[in-house]
C-alpha cells in the first residue's frame, strides 16, 4: 500500500465517517502515523442526503474529499480501498489493494441498510445511505415525472406519481417533507402538463407514531406539519411485500407505486475476522468497553454506529446518530495520546446535545433535554447545527444559500440518468 515505514506507532482507521475523521483530526501531527482507509474517497454528510435525493443540494455540497481533511497532517495517509478482513493474530488488515500492518486498529465502518430479511423489498426498493444511492433516487423521481407525463392511463400515471416512503424516523420524515415541497412548489411550475393533485406521498411507520425516537411533542408537531404538506401518514403499518409495483402491508392498505423508498432501519457494517464476544449479532455492533476497546482485543477499537458501549444510561448502547460518533472519535484521539504518554485513560461519556428533524422548508422539530419546540425557529436552529458540522467552508456557504433560499428549481434542470 506504499505507506512509509516509520518509528512512530501506526493507527489504522477503517472508515472516514463522522467517527473516523474526528479521530484522524485529533491525532494530526501527534507522533503517531495515521492511515485512514475508506471505500469512498470522500466523507459523506449523511444527514443531508435527502436534500440530494430531492434535488435541493448538489452532491459535492455534502461530500468532502478525505485527502483534503488530512492534507496538512504530515504523518497521516489516506488509501482508497475496501477492507475485507482483519487478521488480528498478525496485526494486519487485508484490503482489496493489499494488506497493511497496524499497531492499533480502529473500526469505524458505520452501518448499512437493514431490510430485515425481506429479499423482495431489498431487490425492488430504493435505499438512501450513500451519495450514489441518493443520486439514483433523484434520477428515479425525475424519470417518474417524465413517465407520468406520457402515461396512457390514470392508473399508470398514479403509480408513477405515488411515492411510498417506509420508516418515519428522521430520514423518512425529512424526505417526505422534501418530496412534498417538490409536489407543492416545483411540479405546478415545471411540469405544467401534470396535475400536482395526482401526486401522492405515503409515509409508512411500523410504530404507533412518527419520529419514534423523539418526544411525543416532536412526534405530534411533525405529524401536523406533514399533514399540512399533504403527506399521508400511516402508522402501525409494515410493508410485507413489494414487487416493484404493488406494495402490500400488514393492513388493508395496498398501493400501486413505481417508487418505494426504504428508510426503515440500519444494521452494523462489521468487517470479517474478529471472533469470540467481539461482535454482537443482533444489533451487528462490536461490544466495546468504556474506552471503545473491543472486548477480548487489546489493540482493536470500534467507534460510532458500529460500536456498542453499554452504560447505565444507555444499556442498549448509544443512539446511532452523528454526535456519539463525533464525540467518540475525539475522545479516543485524546486517549491514544494518553496511552502513548503512559497516562491513565479516561472513560467515554456521551454528552447528549438533543435531536432534531426538519419537515419541509422552514419547519423543524427540536428536543433539547426537556425543551421541545417546533416551527421556523427550530428550522433555523436545525440549519445552524447542520452547517456547523458540515465539513468545508465552501460547502457551508453553498449549502446555506441553497437551503435558505431553496433554489430547488435547479433540481429540475438535472439530467435524468
Ligand atoms: C439518510 C441518513 C440521515 C441521517 N440523518 C441524521 C441526522 O439528521 N442527525 C444525526 O445525528 N444522524 C443522522 N444520521 C446518522 C449518522 O449519519 C450516523 O450516525 C453517522 O454517520 C455515524 O458515523 P460513523 O462514523 O459511525 O459511520 P459513517 O458516517 O456511516 O461512516 C462509515 C464509513 O466507513 C466506510 N466503510 C464502511 N465499511 C468499510 C470497509 N469495509 N472498508 C472501507 N471503508 C468502509 C464508509 O464508506 C463510510 O465512509 C443519518 C443517517 C442516514 C443514513
Amino acid at each position: 500500500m506504499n505507506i512509509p515505514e516509520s518509528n512512530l506507532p501506526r493507527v489504522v482507521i477503517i472508515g472516514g465517517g463522522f467517527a473516523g475523521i474526528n479521530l484522524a483530526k485529533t491525532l494530526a501531527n501527534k507522533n503517531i502515523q495515521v492511515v485512514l482507509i475508506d471505500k469512498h474517497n470522500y466523507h459523506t454528510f449523511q444527514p443531508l442526503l435527502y436534500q440530494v435525493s430531492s434535488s435541493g443540494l448538489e452532491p459535492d455540497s455534502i461530500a468532502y474529499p478525505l485527502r483534503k481533511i488530512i492534507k496538512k497532517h504530515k504523518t497521516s495517509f489516506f488509501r482508497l480501498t475496501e477492507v475485507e478482513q482483519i487478521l488480528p493474530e498478525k496485526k494486519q488488515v487485508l484490503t482489496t489493494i493489499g494488506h497493511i500492518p497496524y499497531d492499533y486498529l480502529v473500526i469505524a465502518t458505520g452501518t448499512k441498510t437493514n431490510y430485515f430479511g425481506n429479499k423482495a423489498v431489498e431487490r425492488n426498493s430504493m435505499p438512501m445511505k450513500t451519495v450514489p444511492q441518493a443520486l439514483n433516487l433523484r434520477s428515479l423521481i425525475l424519470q417518474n415525472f417524465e413517465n407520468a407525463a406520457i402515461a396512457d392511463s390514470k392508473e399508470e400515471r398514479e403509480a408513477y406519481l405515488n411515492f411510498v416512503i417506509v420508516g418515519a424516523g428522521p430520514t423518512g420524515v425529512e424526505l417526505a417533507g422534501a418530496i412534498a415541497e417538490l409536489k407543492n412548489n416545483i411540479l405546478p411550475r415545471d411540469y405544467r402538463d401534470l396535475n400536482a393533485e395526482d401526486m401522492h406521498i405515503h409515509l409508512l411507520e411500523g410504530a404507533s407514531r412518527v419520529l419514534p425516537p423523539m418526544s411525543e411533542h416532536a412526534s405530534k408537531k411533525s405529524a401536523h406539519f406533514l399533514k399540512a404538506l399533504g403527506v399521508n401518514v400511516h402508522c402501525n403499518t409494515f410493508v410485507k411485500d413489494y414487487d416493484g409495483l404493488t406494495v402490500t402491508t400488514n393492513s388493508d392498505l395496498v398501493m400501486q407505486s413505481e417508487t418505494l423508498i426504504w428508510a426503515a432501519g440500519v444494521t452494523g457494517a462489521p468487517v470479517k475476522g474478529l471472533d469470540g464476544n467481539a461482535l454482537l449479532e443482533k444489533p451487528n455492533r462490536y461490544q466495546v468497553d468504556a474506552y471503545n476497546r473491543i472486548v477480548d482485543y487489546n489493540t482493536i477499537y470500534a467507534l460510532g454506529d458500529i460500536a456498542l458501549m453499554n452504560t447505565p444510561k444507555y444499556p442498549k448502547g448509544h443512539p446511532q446518530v452523528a454526535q456519539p460518533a463525533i464525540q467518540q472519535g475525539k475522545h479516543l484521539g485524546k486517549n491514544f495520546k494518553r496511552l502513548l504518554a503512559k497516562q491513565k485513560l479516561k472513560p467515554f461519556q456521551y454528552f447528549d446535545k438533543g435531536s432534531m428533524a426538519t419537515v419541509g422548508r422552514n419547519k423543524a422539530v427540536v428536543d433539547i433535554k426537556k425543551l421541545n419546540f417546533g416551527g421556523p425557529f427550530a428550522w433555523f436552529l436545525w440549519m445552524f447545527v447542520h452547517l456547523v458540522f458540515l465539513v468545508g467552508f465552501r460547502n457551508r456557504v453553498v449549502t446555506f444559500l441553497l437551503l435558505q433560499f431553496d433554489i430547488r428549481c435547479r433540481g429540475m434542470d438535472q439530467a435524468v440518468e
Side-chain angles (χ1 to χ4, degrees):
M1 286 171 80
N2 274 349
I3 306 289
E5 293 297 327
S6 79
N7 294 329
L8 302 178
R10 177 183 286 165
V11 175
V12 172
I13 307 170
I14 314 174
F18 285 105
I21 62 166
N22 278 285
L23 173 62
K25 282 183 194 171
T26 313
L27 292 181
N29 305 322
K30 292 288 182 308
N31 285 332
I32 294 172
Q33 188 187 59
V34 175
V35 181
L36 177 62
I37 297 176
D38 201 294
K39 57 186 171 184
H40 300 119
N41 68 344
Y42 51 84
H43 164 76
T44 305
F45 191 82
Q46 293 176 17
L48 288 177
L49 273 173
Y50 80 96
Q51 282 283 347
V52 174
S53 303
S54 56
S55 307
L57 288 177
E58 291 308 314
D60 57 356
S61 302
I62 66 154
Y64 194 80
L66 287 165
R67 281 186 178 275
K68 258 192 172 175
I69 293 174
I70 59 156
K71 77 174 180 194
K72 290 197 179 133
H73 308 174
K74 290 197 179 64
T75 54
S76 299
F77 299 84
F78 170 73
R79 288 293 177 266
L80 172 66
T81 180
E82 181 159 2
V83 174
E84 294 182 320
Q85 195 172 346
I86 299 162
L87 307 170
E89 65 290 349
K90 291 186 179 165
K91 289 186 96 175
Q92 284 184 3
V93 161
L94 201 59
T95 77
T96 49
I97 55 166
H99 67 272
I100 179 160
Y102 62 81
D103 294 303
Y104 298 96
L105 176 67
V106 182
I107 309 173
T109 46
T111 54
K112 55 187 180 194
T113 305
N114 190 356
Y115 297 95
F116 303 99
N118 192 326
K119 292 284 171 211
V121 167
E122 182 170 354
R123 231 180 359 258
N124 298 313
S125 68
M126 300 295 286
M128 197 189 61
K129 186 80 182 64
T130 62
V131 170
Q133 289 171 350
L135 284 171
N136 285 343
L137 182 52
R138 174 198 285 206
S139 280
L140 182 68
I141 293 171
L142 300 180
Q143 182 70 61
N144 281 352
F145 289 162
E146 296 301 336
N147 289 344
I150 55 166
D152 290 331
S153 66
K154 186 170 174 285
E155 289 73 29
E156 202 187 328
R157 188 164 46 252
E158 274 178 6
Y160 283 120
L161 293 179
N162 253 350
F163 292 87
V164 180
I165 301 163
V166 187
T171 302
V173 165
E174 292 182 344
L175 188 61
I179 296 180
E181 296 285 5
L182 280 182
K183 169 185 169 173
N184 298 335
N185 302 316
I186 305 301
L187 211 67
R189 198 175 63 205
D190 287 11
Y191 290 83
R192 280 175 290 111
D193 41 0
L194 287 178
N195 182 356
E197 295 304 310
D198 290 342
M199 178 171 168
H200 299 286
I201 301 141
H202 297 274
L203 181 61
L204 275 51
E205 169 58 47
S208 57
R209 60 182 180 91
V210 298
L211 292 179
M214 292 186 70
S215 66
E216 283 274 354
H217 178 273
S219 181
K220 277 193 188 134
K221 200 96 192 161
S222 54
H224 170 74
F225 290 152
L226 286 166
K227 201 171 164 206
L229 282 167
V231 176
N232 305 293
V233 178
H234 310 268
C235 289
N236 300 309
T237 305
F238 298 92
V239 169
K240 278 171 64 183
D241 196 16
Y242 178 57
D243 61 4
L245 182 62
T246 306
V247 187
T248 52
T249 68
N250 61 328
S251 71
D252 295 342
L253 185 70
V254 178
M255 284 176 285
Q256 302 295 300
S257 173
E258 291 282 342
T259 318
L260 184 97
I261 304 164
W262 191 253
V266 290
T267 181
V271 184
K272 271 198 308 198
L274 303 192
D275 48 27
N277 304 318
L279 187 67
L280 291 175
E281 263 180 37
K282 199 68 193 282
N284 231 2
R285 295 168 86 178
Y286 292 110
Q287 176 85 60
V288 297
D289 65 15
Y291 310 97
N292 282 97
R293 206 167 24 204
I294 296 183
V295 293
D296 297 342
Y297 291 94
N298 256 340
T299 53
I300 308 183
Y301 297 74
L303 292 178
D305 279 1
I306 191 69
L308 193 139
M309 184 189 293
N310 308 104
T311 66
K313 196 165 173 200
Y314 298 96
K316 290 185 181 167
H318 297 105
Q320 287 169 297
V321 290
Q323 273 304 319
I326 293 171
Q327 292 176 28
Q328 286 181 358
K330 290 181 181 169
H331 186 81
L332 182 61
K334 289 182 193 151
N335 263 346
F336 269 135
K337 288 188 243 166
R338 290 186 191 105
L339 186 78
L340 298 174
K342 301 204 174 0
Q343 292 167 355
K344 201 164 174 259
L345 304 190
K346 288 196 178 161
F348 174 73
Q349 271 186 339
Y350 175 48
F351 176 57
D352 183 2
K353 296 184 176 171
S355 26
M356 45 183 74
T358 173
V359 196
R361 193 172 170 241
N362 291 339
K363 284 181 208 72
V365 288
V366 172
D367 289 342
I368 303 176
K369 300 210 183 289
K370 291 203 169 116
L371 194 65
N372 318 115
F373 56 98
F377 177 67
W379 188 78
F380 267 106
L381 191 64
W382 171 88
M383 188 168 67
F384 176 76
V385 168
H386 281 71
L387 292 178
V388 166
F389 288 103
L390 200 57
V391 187
F393 177 74
R394 184 190 153 275
N395 286 358
R396 285 192 194 114
V397 174
V398 172
T399 304
F400 170 74
L401 292 173
L402 291 173
L403 289 177
Q404 175 65 19
F405 300 108
D406 197 24
I407 315 172
R408 199 178 297 266
C409 47
R410 288 155 35 87
M412 297 298 105
D413 301 335
Q414 299 300 314
V416 173
E417 284 168 26

